[in-house]
Amino acid sequence: MSPEEVLAVGRHALEVTLLLAAPLLLTALVVGLLQAATQVNEMTLSFIPKLIAMAAALMLAGPWMLKLIVAYTRELFESIPGLLH
């Protein structure tokens, strides 16, 4: 395996990781900004809306996230014979 191939596999893994994390991180960011704008400082009051929003984001983006990780894993396994030359 050449260094270029290793870098390509690593870069693709990082891209998939960022895509998988983005919906949940953006949801947490938006809820956090809304809580900061409304000056909600109580820990329990700030945790529950964020938890509900993250669960909703996971339900909405979950099927897409699952398809993405399955496609990446399948592509990675199928590329193993070509990487072992």
Side-chain angles (χ1 to χ4, degrees):
M1 224 169 121
S2 71
E4 292 82 16
E5 291 171 329
V6 172
L7 288 174
V9 169
R11 184 186 38 130
H12 191 55
L14 285 174
E15 289 172 358
V16 169
T17 303
L18 287 173
L19 285 172
L20 287 173
L24 298 177
L25 290 176
L26 289 174
T27 300
L29 175 67
V30 168
V31 172
L33 288 174
L34 289 173
Q35 289 174 342
T38 58
Q39 297 180 350
V40 175
N41 293 325
E42 177 64 32
M43 284 303 292
T44 55
L45 291 178
S46 67
F47 181 71
I48 299 299
K50 198 173 286 186
L51 183 66
I52 292 170
M54 296 285 278
L58 192 57
M59 285 191 325
L60 290 174
W64 171 79
M65 293 167 72
L66 185 61
K67 286 179 190 174
L68 182 68
I69 194 68
V70 166
Y72 171 72
T73 305
R74 182 175 290 129
E75 178 184 331
L76 190 62
F77 283 160
E78 290 172 353
S79 71
I80 289 174
L83 297 174
L84 296 177
H85 60 274

